[in-house]
């Protein structure tokens, strides 16, 4: 199959991605700080999994050759070139591809995500600052996360490589210390194999412990009957923990080298996530595809209230 190649101003060879790439990490870049921080995170993720990185600048003009559209196309190409140059300098062993799909931004990102292990997008943070105009702000990132067929990772602006590692002995940031834990928010009543597998693989690739959080609450019927005494609460908590441990047992056997810490808490997942993921390298949450193209409550809370990178994993 013939592949087209172009050279950036620095001489770095950027290869057009063939129609199907079996294993690749894709990141959306638009020149903003948030997207460049996401691109660096995606580059490190690609290296951890020994796969290429694909840079995507979505939303290019819909047609070629028109004089009025060429400046926009040139600017988009410049964004890709600058990102590739910066990443190649920091990660010389990384294989980098570049793609400039045309048409509306969200459909272009979704199409790119179907050929990737994960789609990585930058996010300015829980609150979008005034004047932020990058395509990753606001509804674009959340829309992509709500509709993608593959995992979508949202990385906050300002994310640094050392943020994924525990501090050194003196309490200073470090890039050489062990990774912080990966946190998985799991509903044992509907765990989703793709969700759990993604979290275990993420922890294994980092050599990090996996913390699994199950937030449970008293069933509505029991609450209406007034069954809220301490003994009943403790019994339900023990049952919830037993359910969680049972759901994790096959995965412990499949990933014997990964340390797993199971935690059961009372309350809604959305209210527990900011604290549970405060020191995480990555938070992993699920999205049920059977619910349609939308984020569930847990994923919505994670995206809007957790400062760490968040992976939204779709599952049936």
């Amino acid at each position: 199959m013939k592949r087209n190649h172009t050279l950036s101003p620095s001489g770095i060879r950027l290869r057009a991605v063939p129609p199907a790439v079996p294993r690749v990490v894709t990141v959306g870049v638009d020149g903003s700080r948030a997207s460049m921080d996401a691109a660096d995170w995606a580059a490190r993720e690609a290296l951890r999994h020994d796969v290429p990185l694909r840079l995507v600048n979505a939303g290019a003009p819909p047609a070629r050759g028109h004089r009025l559209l060429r400046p926009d196309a040139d600017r988009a190409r410049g964004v890709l070139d600058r990102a590739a140059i910066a990443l190649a300098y920091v990660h010389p062993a990384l294989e980098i591809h570049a793609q400039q799909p045309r048409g509306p931004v969200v459909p272009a990102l979704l199409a790119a995500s179907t050929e990737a292990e994960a789609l990585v997008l930058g996010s300015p943070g829980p609150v979008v600052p005034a004047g932020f105009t990058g395509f990753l702000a606001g509804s674009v990132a959340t829309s992509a996360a709500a509709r993608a067929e593959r995992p979508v990772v949202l990385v906050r602006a300002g994310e640094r490589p050392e943020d994924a590692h525990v501090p050194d002995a003196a309490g200073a940031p470090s890039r050489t210390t062990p990774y912080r834990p990966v946190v998985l928010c799991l509903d044992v009543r509907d765990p989703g194999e793709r969700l759990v597998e993604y979290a275990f693989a993420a922890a294994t690739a980092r050599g990090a412990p996996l913390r699994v959080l199950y937030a449970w609450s008293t069933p509505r019927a029991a609450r209406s009957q007034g069954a809220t005494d301490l003994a009943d609460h403790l019994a339900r908590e023990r049952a919830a923990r037993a359910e969680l441990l049972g759901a994790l047992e096959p995965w412990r056997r499949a990933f014997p080298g990964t340390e797993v810490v199971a935690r059961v808490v009372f309350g809604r997942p959305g209210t527990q996530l900011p604290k549970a993921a405060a020191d995480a390298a990555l938070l992993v949450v699920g999205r049920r595809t059977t619910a349609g193209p939308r984020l569930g409550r847990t994923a919505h809370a994670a995206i809007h209230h957790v400062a760490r990178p968040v992976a939204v994993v779709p599952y049936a």
Side-chain angles (χ1 to χ4, degrees), residues 218-293:
T218 305
R220 184 175 301 176
R223 291 198 301 268
S224 64
Q225 295 171 6
T228 58
D229 60 272
L230 179 60
D232 179 75
H233 178 89
L234 293 177
R236 293 182 184 277
E237 185 176 60
R238 287 193 297 269
R241 181 169 181 79
E243 286 183 291
L244 177 58
L245 294 176
L248 292 176
E249 183 56 33
W251 296 99
R252 290 179 187 266
R253 293 196 299 267
F255 293 85
T258 299
E259 177 188 354
V260 180
V261 179
R263 184 185 174 201
V264 173
V265 296
F266 181 76
R268 294 188 178 277
T271 62
Q272 301 292 333
L273 288 179
K275 181 178 180 180
D279 65 342
L282 176 69
L283 170 64
V284 182
V285 297
R287 175 182 67 83
R288 291 188 62 185
T289 57
T290 53

Side-chain angles (χ1 to χ4, degrees), residues 204-215:
T204 300
R206 291 164 172 78
L210 176 64
R211 292 182 189 167
V212 185
L213 177 72
Y214 173 34

Side-chain angles (χ1 to χ4, degrees), residues 13-50:
R13 186 176 293 275
L14 301 178
R15 289 178 289 178
V17 180
V21 179
R23 298 192 66 205
V24 65
V25 173
T26 294
V27 59
V29 293
D30 64 355
S32 66
R33 178 186 174 186
S35 75
M36 288 307 300
D37 290 339
D40 187 60
W41 189 96
R44 288 179 272 120
E45 182 75 353
L47 288 171
R48 279 190 288 265
H49 292 273
D50 193 25

Side-chain angles (χ1 to χ4, degrees), residues 17 21 31 48 60 69 71 97 114 128 131 143 154 169 200 219 223-224 226 232 260 266 280 295 308-309:
V17 180
V21 179
R48 279 190 288 265
L69 298 180
H97 301 268
T114 61
V128 179
S143 180
L154 299 186
F200 268 89
R223 291 198 301 268
S224 64
D232 179 75
V260 180
F266 181 76
L295 295 170
R308 308 301 304 137

Side-chain angles (χ1 to χ4, degrees), residues 99-126:
Q99 187 179 49
Q100 194 174 339
R102 300 181 181 276
V105 174
V106 173
L109 290 173
L110 294 176
S113 73
T114 61
E115 298 173 357
E117 291 193 348
L119 171 65
V120 182
L121 299 175
S123 171

